[in-house]
Amino acid sequence: MARQTGIIKLRGTLGGITFYRTSQDGDLAREKGGVDATRIATDPAFARTRENGAEFGRAGAAGKLLRKALRNLLQNAADRRVTSRLTQEMVKVVKADATSERGLRNVLDGELELLTGFEFNINGKLSTTLFAAYVATLDRVTGEAKVTIPAFTPTLGIAAPAGATHFKINIAAAAIDFELGTIESLTDSTDVEELSNVALAAQDLSVNLPVNSTHPLFLALGIEFFQEVNGQNYSLRNGAYNGLALVKILGV
């Protein structure tokens, strides 16, 4: 893969070279080639390739469902490569399946707990932003998903980006049926608070998922920053530094 640097940017295929544009890396060029798709689909020599492709597809679909479940918070707390990064981690979940045959491994028989700590925004990691103590709990029997934050001082418990004057803390919880592709998700948030030296009272954020759910359960915790201008709070830099991470997971 090569980068186009000339004044005129090409599109399409010319002389065996394909010219194209990507949102992340700009104008690129690569040599056209590869094995015929029919051969990959039928030739025994490509059995491993087909198996890897099937498992990668399941990982991608699972990641898409998880992103959909957390969409309300992800809109303001995700980097441009979150899709590929999450798929990469989902592949690890699939490969942790120790019971299914190769090519049939899946996220349900894998280790979804491996996703614990996953950061949806590399530019604003929760782990390097929120230093206040918190306890995250998921109760499958009652369906309660909860994050308890003891009293803390914002300027000491939060590493806020330059320009931020206020913040709020969010949670999102989801029960996901990876087989049918359905989700049930809920969110809760604190009030918008000032980034001051005044201690805040303890906070309890909680939602109730279906009781006795047989599906994997996820709990995400995030922080959102604002800048006050003339008495109004505006999302800081379009949420570029908002943090969101998976803090508790219950597989099946």
Side-chain angles (χ1 to χ4, degrees):
M1 178 170 53
R3 191 179 301 275
Q4 297 187 56
T5 59
I7 297 176
I8 300 175
K9 309 301 183 184
L10 302 177
R11 301 287 185 275
T13 301
L14 179 65
I17 304 296
T18 299
F19 301 89
Y20 60 102
R21 181 180 183 82
T22 67
S23 58
Q24 289 88 6
D25 301 313
D27 295 283
L28 304 173
R30 66 184 176 192
E31 185 176 3
K32 185 178 180 180
V35 181
D36 180 79
T38 301
R39 183 183 175 193
I40 292 178
T42 58
D43 192 331
F46 289 93
R48 298 288 84 83
T49 300
R50 291 193 293 274
E51 293 167 355
N52 291 337
E55 294 182 350
F56 184 83
R58 292 190 195 99
K64 183 177 181 180
L65 272 178
L66 180 55
R67 296 197 314 276
K68 182 179 179 181
L70 304 178
R71 184 177 182 275
N72 287 344
L73 299 188
L74 275 178
Q75 291 182 92
N76 294 317
D79 61 65
R80 294 190 302 173
R81 297 186 184 274
V82 66
T83 298
S84 59
R85 292 194 302 104
L86 182 56
T87 299
Q88 185 177 24
E89 295 306 308
M90 279 292 188
V91 168
K92 295 177 183 178
V93 171
V94 170
K95 288 184 176 181
D97 178 354
T99 60
S100 303
E101 296 179 6
R102 180 168 177 165
L104 299 177
R105 292 179 294 184
N106 59 85
V107 296
L108 291 178
D109 294 318
E111 296 291 337
L112 282 164
E113 289 83 357
L114 291 173
L115 296 174
T116 304
F118 179 81
E119 299 275 3
F120 290 92
N121 187 6
I122 287 297
N123 302 312
K125 293 182 178 180
L126 183 73
S127 61
T128 57
T129 301
L130 181 62
F131 294 99
Y134 64 86
V135 177
T137 57
L138 275 173
D139 190 319
R140 185 178 294 281
V141 175
T142 65
E144 185 181 47
K146 183 177 181 180
V147 171
T148 300
I149 307 172
F152 74 100
T153 301
T155 53
L156 298 178
I158 297 172
T165 61
H166 291 71
F167 73 97
K168 73 174 179 178
I169 296 174
N170 310 304
I171 68 166
I176 303 179
D177 185 336
F178 287 104
E179 293 182 310
L180 296 181
T182 60
I183 60 175
E184 295 185 65
S185 61
L186 296 165
T187 62
D188 191 20
S189 302
T190 65
D191 294 331
V192 175
E193 303 284 357
E194 185 178 1
L195 284 161
S196 70
N197 294 317
V198 180
L200 292 178
Q203 303 276 347
D204 283 330
L205 299 173
S206 65
V207 296
N208 289 305
L209 295 171
V211 299
N212 294 314
S213 173
T214 58
H215 306 307
L217 306 180
F218 299 84
L219 177 57
L221 174 65
I223 187 166
E224 189 173 353
F225 292 104
F226 303 89
Q227 184 176 72
E228 185 183 50
V229 179
N230 296 329
Q232 296 291 323
N233 289 316
Y234 299 89
S235 182
L236 183 69
R237 300 185 188 178
N238 295 321
Y241 300 109
N242 294 340
L244 181 67
L246 293 171
V247 293
K248 192 76 173 180
I249 300 171
L250 293 181
V252 294

